[in-house]
Structure formats: structure tokens, C-alpha cells
Amino acid sequence: MKNLPSNATLLFSESQIEKAIDRLAVRLNIDLANEQPVFVCVLKGAIPLTWDLMRRMDVDVSLSCLRVRRFRGTKGGEPHISDFDPEEFRDKLVVIVDTVLDEGVTLDFVQEKLQTLAKKLLTVVLVRKRTDYHGTANYIGLTAPNKFLIGRGMDVDGKYRGLPAIYTLDS
């Protein structure tokens, strides 16, 4: 693949990711049968996963987005949210969709914002990194080492989100 950083190593192929998303969608369709959930896409990284899941859903899904920013380059900071309308989530089954769960900062932040509003709150992540964070998501597609990841929505300063596979960046 062109435009790949020289320190990138393939972790999950496009095929492996598609199979993981298929498994997530099957479980969500079973668990959400007879529901009308709101999928909350954590922007910008979760756009590919949210789209991939929504087009596999057999239930009626609404879509909302929250823009949560935390990273500058490879350094994480405090999360910030924009365009938050609590009424979109009040008394609804809310499914937070995010790309990666590592330290839990972003996911915990979003859950805290939505917990008191939602009738029920579930979480979906494409990749769960092996870290010291003890929290989890309700639905996890893949498990990865605790390395910086790019591709399939994950980026460095806005680059590499569109890669169809997931790569680690070696220091």
C-alpha cells in the first residue's frame, strides 16, 4: 500500500476486520432484536465502523455523532466534546460505537455523558488493546497489543484513517 509510514507493520488485514465486523453485527442483531437503538458514532475515528455496522443491521437504527477529541499526534490528553444535544439520547437504547479501547479515557468520558440520559447504554469497539485499563466494552471485534494503531478510522494527525487494514506504528 502506498503512503504507508515506513515504521508501520500490518496487524489486521482487511479480511480479518470484515470478519470481526460480521461477528459484531450478528451479536448486535440478536441482542437488539425488537429494539430501535441509537448508534452514537464517536467522531471521527468510528465513522468506518459505524457505517459497516449500520449496513449489516436488521433492526431500525438511528444515528447520532459525538465529536470527541483527545489526541494530538500520538499523545493523548483530556477529552473534549462538541455538538452535544442530550435530547437525542434521553430514554433510548444507546449504542456507543468507537474504534479503539485502550486507556478507556474517551469511552469512560462518553459513557459518563450519556449514562443518566439513556434507558440502556451499550458499547462497541473494533479493537481492544491489551492495557492496564480494567474497563471493557460490551462488544469487542479484535484484540491488539498496546501499540499505536493506524488505519480503519485510526490516525496520526488526521492521516491514514482510510487504510483498509490496521497497522501498528513502531517507535
Side-chain angles (χ1 to χ4, degrees), residues 91-152:
D91 299 322
K92 296 180 182 168
L93 191 159
V94 176
V95 181
I96 301 167
V97 181
D98 203 358
T99 307
V100 64
L101 175 58
D102 48 20
E103 298 170 358
V105 175
T106 302
L107 191 60
D108 287 349
F109 177 76
V110 173
Q111 286 183 92
E112 184 178 302
K113 287 281 189 193
L114 300 177
Q115 191 74 43
T116 59
L117 299 169
K119 170 179 69 174
K120 183 174 182 180
L121 191 62
L122 299 171
T123 53
V124 178
V125 295
L126 179 57
V127 180
R128 168 71 160 104
K129 287 186 190 179
R130 290 184 201 102
T131 65
D132 293 335
Y133 175 68
H134 295 292
T136 191
N138 299 100
Y139 305 89
I140 299 169
L142 301 162
T143 303
N146 189 15
K147 294 186 174 191
F148 197 85
L149 305 176
I150 59 169
R152 207 57 177 238

Side-chain angles (χ1 to χ4, degrees), residues 19-171:
K19 287 176 185 170
I21 294 170
D22 286 342
R23 288 189 301 271
L24 288 171
V26 166
R27 289 185 53 216
L28 284 164
N29 276 311
I30 291 168
D31 293 351
L32 301 178
N34 304 313
E35 298 283 353
Q36 293 182 326
V38 176
F39 276 22
V40 179
C41 176
V42 179
L43 294 175
K44 299 179 184 175
I47 291 171
L49 175 60
T50 304
W51 168 247
D52 286 339
L53 285 173
M54 286 188 69
R55 64 191 178 100
R56 288 170 168 89
M57 297 306 298
D58 296 328
V59 299
D60 185 19
V61 177
S62 298
L63 176 63
S64 183
C65 297
L66 291 179
R67 182 157 188 194
V68 181
R69 298 192 72 175
R70 189 167 101 72
F71 275 84
R72 295 282 185 240
T74 60
K75 301 293 182 200
E78 290 297 314
H80 302 280
I81 197 168
S82 61
D83 299 326
F84 181 69
D85 179 5
E87 294 308 312
E88 287 187 75
F89 315 106
R90 195 169 309 281
D91 299 322
K92 296 180 182 168
L93 191 159
V94 176
V95 181
I96 301 167
V97 181
D98 203 358
T99 307
V100 64
L101 175 58
D102 48 20
E103 298 170 358
V105 175
T106 302
L107 191 60
D108 287 349
F109 177 76
V110 173
Q111 286 183 92
E112 184 178 302
K113 287 281 189 193
L114 300 177
Q115 191 74 43
T116 59
L117 299 169
K119 170 179 69 174
K120 183 174 182 180
L121 191 62
L122 299 171
T123 53
V124 178
V125 295
L126 179 57
V127 180
R128 168 71 160 104
K129 287 186 190 179
R130 290 184 201 102
T131 65
D132 293 335
Y133 175 68
H134 295 292
T136 191
N138 299 100
Y139 305 89
I140 299 169
L142 301 162
T143 303
N146 189 15
K147 294 186 174 191
F148 197 85
L149 305 176
I150 59 169
R152 207 57 177 238
M154 294 172 274
D155 72 304
V156 175
D157 294 328
K159 296 178 184 173
Y160 312 115
R161 285 189 197 277
L163 295 172
I166 296 174
Y167 298 81
T168 60
L169 287 185
D170 303 318
S171 307

